[in-house]
Amino acid sequence: MTSRSRFYLNRQGRAAHVFLIPWQLGFLLITAVPLLASLYLAFTNYDILNPPEWTGLENFQRMIHDDQFWASVRVTLIYVLVSVPLQLAFALLLALILDRGLSGLAFYRSAFYLPSLLGSSVAIAILWREIFGDEGLINKGLALIGVHGESWLQNPRTALATLIVLNVWTFGSPMVIFLAGLRQIPDELYEAARVDGAGVWRQFTHVTVPLLTPIIFFNLILQTIGAFQTFTQAHIISGGTGGPANSTLFYTLYVYQQGFVAFDMGYASALAWVLMVAIAVVTALHFLVSKYWVFYGDS
Amino acid sequence: MDRRGFLKVSLGTGLAAAAVAGCGGSGGGPSGGGGDVTLRYAWWGNNIRQQNYTKALKQFSTANPAITIEPEFADYTAFQERMTTQIAARDVPDIFWIASPQVMTYHKSKLYRKLDDIPTLKWDDYSKEDLETFKLDGQLNTLPFGIFTPVIRYNETVAKADGVTVPVEGPGWTWDSLAELLVAYSKNNPGKRKGTPYAPDHDLTFEAWLRQRGEQLWTQDGQVGFTADGLGSWLDWWEKLRKAGGALSLSEQEGMGPDWAQVGKKVLVNFGNSNHIIDDAKMFPKEKFRLRAAPIAAGAPAGHKYLYFPRMAIYQRIDDGNLEAAGKVLDYNVNNAEMLKTVRLTMGAPTNPKVAEQAAAFASPDEKEMLAVVAKERAAERKPRYEAPPGSSTWRTTMARICEEIALGKTAVPAGAQKLVDEIGAGIKRAA
């Protein structure tokens, strides 16, 4: 490399660094520093109002005997294990229907995406009460056949299910990604399959699914991480309590309660770090297992 | 312009903008020249209260052109969260209302400036006894600006239509007689209403129950003032009432802490604070609501009655140059009936006895009802009450959860009561 081109590259590099400064500052001040600060706070007793006091592993030991912590772990795991597969299956189904060349595709795509935009809004709390409440649509429907239903939101056996339904209903984002993936599968493969006598189901299982596995994997990772971090829906619908009887006490809601209601920021930081490690472990497991089921065209 | 030139201009502009931004900032210190003062005033409430207080503060600034007030309003929960982050950032408003769970927490954190040496804030209208009850640990550093008492609010229109008579206060007005009334009413009324919402987590009536049994909510030294038995007796009263059909189920009221707009049409009475009648009655404008003081248990000790004060304070680190102006604002809040004409009495009866008398002249019928109940309680003998200690800020959330578990059959009353006492105690211990 000549000194002239090295000089040119250096100038280019310097300019790039200058333009990157805002992002670097943002990353440092808004992400990295708070992240490290929370790691420190996880080992302290910190009520925000007074300086933190070093307590070592006390916050982590406290979790072991904390019933609320275990309740939140249980709720979150059930939610992740049930809602993510359901949502992905529903999104894939809708994407397959939309991929069949319907007229007005843009309208349907937007219409199906709309719930994703509403998913974390106060409007949803009202809508869900109108549907699942004591005098909601479902109970009114049941009353027509002589069944007296109670509020689905206030029954610990059904409250979480209503939030799972809400998550499945907000399938817009994975659906759009699935749709883009389906568009990438060459028609020739389907033609070849049909020539070989494959029906619709075999085309789906032997052509669509294998070629869509990278997209499924991508959606699975995103939605799993998102499900672990679910907060707003539970906060709005339970009024921030995680009730009834802890049945919607999501992990992040519990972190919020500890940090911003009890002002126990040290414990909240420890909880947050446990969640981060848990998500990292689950994501790593996903990647480890992916080599057995994800098919990349170039592999 | 070449790239180097563009970079120079960009950097220069950025630095200049940063410098200008650094010179800015709002509120806090005296704004220089002319002695003008800008104060930040933080409070909570609903939309109507936001509008009323914003208007009243503007009226104050119009009357006192040298004092500008920057309002900082939020919903009750958001207010507490914002205050906490503001305290952490040392960016506390000059004047702020204090949420009840935080009174002693903020006191411990030395957030309050003492108020008895500010010449613009007058205390002449208050009795010595009043001033003693206002103090925290012997210091006059917060300003009670309203009075709430625990009450039973009933729908007089519905009661008359259904032929129900709510007993007057006196020997027949007991918790047992109330429970009997609520159960009997629930079993037989044309509107299929229930007696009351399920509300064992209502703090003021719970405190009245405790004090009538010789217990209290908090002790002077910042501990839990009640026993598991005392709490258990309250939860048991509610559980019997609920099982007998005298209270709404959690399903009917859509959870703990129901929305009055939703349940008001389903019940005859409600357990609440005396001031709630003012906003709640407006939701059912065709109906008339009345108040009764909390029922009294047989053998209740003398001095069991009490008043609850919402408080406001001046930030400890307020600029000295702003202090007199802040005192003037506080004085306007508590010693001037004119402000009440704008903000009304949603924050309870005035603490200043003279202002309370003046307020009666322009009070609405609901406000007059509230003033009458509070005046009666204020005249009664009262033993001291103590504010919630640091570490107990979530006790009402925990209580609501335990009550919910009991109503859902997931916890028995004695176990729930013990669990609540233990959890609150553990929180206080952690904060000590």
Side-chain angles (χ1 to χ4, degrees), chain A residues 147-229:
Chain A
V147 177
H148 172 70
E150 296 212 322
S151 172
W152 297 68
L153 301 170
Q154 296 307 322
N155 185 334
R157 287 192 295 273
T158 55
L160 182 59
T162 65
L163 290 178
I164 290 172
V165 170
L166 175 56
N167 190 48
V168 173
W169 186 55
T170 55
F171 56 84
S173 173
M175 182 200 71
V176 168
I177 297 170
F178 277 136
L179 200 53
L182 288 170
R183 294 291 167 89
Q184 300 301 313
I185 301 175
D187 283 343
E188 297 83 54
L189 294 178
Y190 289 109
E191 279 171 27
R194 276 196 293 272
V195 169
D196 287 346
V200 173
W201 178 248
R202 289 210 94 172
Q203 285 175 47
F204 175 69
T205 55
H206 286 74
V207 178
T208 308
V209 171
L211 290 174
L212 209 57
T213 49
I215 304 292
I216 296 173
F217 179 56
F218 177 74
N219 269 334
L220 180 66
I221 296 280
L222 282 191
Q223 297 308 318
T224 303
I225 293 172
F228 269 112
Q229 296 174 331

Side-chain angles (χ1 to χ4, degrees), chain A residues 63-258:
Chain A
M63 287 176 210
I64 297 166
H65 306 288
D66 182 353
D67 294 343
Q68 295 287 96
F69 165 77
W70 290 111
S72 69
V73 169
R74 181 180 158 275
V75 167
T76 307
L77 284 178
I78 292 172
Y79 182 79
V80 171
L81 290 172
V82 177
S83 79
V84 173
L86 275 179
Q87 190 201 42
L88 292 184
F90 200 68
L92 180 56
L93 179 68
L94 263 294
L96 286 167
I97 292 169
L98 291 179
D99 192 43
R100 291 171 71 89
L102 290 175
S103 57
L105 177 63
F107 168 76
Y108 286 117
R109 207 164 41 201
S110 305
F112 288 143
Y113 198 83
L114 203 57
S116 301
L117 300 176
L118 296 173
S120 301
S121 69
V122 175
I124 287 300
I126 297 165
L127 178 64
W128 245 233
R129 187 161 291 182
E130 291 301 317
I131 295 173
F132 294 106
D134 187 56
E135 295 172 351
L137 275 178
I138 291 183
N139 283 347
K140 280 180 180 161
L142 288 172
L144 293 176
I145 54 169
V147 177
H148 172 70
E150 296 212 322
S151 172
W152 297 68
L153 301 170
Q154 296 307 322
N155 185 334
R157 287 192 295 273
T158 55
L160 182 59
T162 65
L163 290 178
I164 290 172
V165 170
L166 175 56
N167 190 48
V168 173
W169 186 55
T170 55
F171 56 84
S173 173
M175 182 200 71
V176 168
I177 297 170
F178 277 136
L179 200 53
L182 288 170
R183 294 291 167 89
Q184 300 301 313
I185 301 175
D187 283 343
E188 297 83 54
L189 294 178
Y190 289 109
E191 279 171 27
R194 276 196 293 272
V195 169
D196 287 346
V200 173
W201 178 248
R202 289 210 94 172
Q203 285 175 47
F204 175 69
T205 55
H206 286 74
V207 178
T208 308
V209 171
L211 290 174
L212 209 57
T213 49
I215 304 292
I216 296 173
F217 179 56
F218 177 74
N219 269 334
L220 180 66
I221 296 280
L222 282 191
Q223 297 308 318
T224 303
I225 293 172
F228 269 112
Q229 296 174 331
T230 297
F231 170 78
T232 316
Q233 295 92 326
H235 185 262
I236 289 173
I237 289 172
S238 77
T241 64
N246 291 336
S247 58
T248 61
L249 184 64
F250 283 81
Y251 194 93
T252 49
L253 185 56
Y254 187 50
V255 174
Y256 163 81
Q257 286 180 353
Q258 289 300 317

Side-chain angles (χ1 to χ4, degrees), chain A residues 11 133-134 151 154 245 256 263, chain B residues 81 84 102 251 254-255 404:
Chain A
R11 279 181 59 193
D134 187 56
S151 172
Q154 296 307 322
Y256 163 81
F263 304 129
Chain B
E81 290 172 9
T84 307
Q102 313 300 345
S251 173
E254 296 292 353
E404 195 175 59

Side-chain angles (χ1 to χ4, degrees), chain A residues 7-8 11-12 14-15 18-19 21 45-50 62 67-68 129 132-135 149-151 153-156 235 240-241 243-246 256-264, chain B residues 3-4 6-7 10-11 77 80-81 83-85 87-88 90 102 105-106 108-109 111 249-256 259 262 265-266 393-394 397 401 404-405 408 410 419 423 430-432:
Chain A
F7 176 72
Y8 180 74
R11 279 181 59 193
Q12 289 257 343
R14 280 200 297 272
V18 169
F19 282 111
I21 284 173
N45 179 12
Y46 179 45
D47 67 359
I48 306 183
L49 307 177
N50 299 292
R62 184 175 150 194
D67 294 343
Q68 295 287 96
R129 187 161 291 182
F132 294 106
D134 187 56
E135 295 172 351
E150 296 212 322
S151 172
L153 301 170
Q154 296 307 322
N155 185 334
H235 185 262
T241 64
N246 291 336
Y256 163 81
Q257 286 180 353
Q258 289 300 317
F260 291 96
V261 181
F263 304 129
D264 197 346
Chain B
R3 187 174 54 209
R4 180 171 296 183
F6 171 73
L7 285 174
S10 303
L11 276 174
T77 308
Q80 290 185 68
E81 290 172 9
M83 273 296 292
T84 307
T85 48
I87 292 164
R90 300 280 186 271
Q102 313 300 345
T105 305
Y106 291 175
K108 185 186 168 195
S109 301
L111 233 63
S249 67
L250 286 178
S251 173
E252 287 168 326
Q253 66 180 37
E254 296 292 353
M256 298 296 296
D259 179 3
Q262 297 296 319
K265 60 192 175 203
K266 297 181 180 177
S393 63
T394 55
T397 316
R401 174 164 50 82
E404 195 175 59
E405 287 175 5
L408 291 166
K410 290 183 169 291
K419 194 173 168 187
E423 281 195 33
R430 272 197 299 276

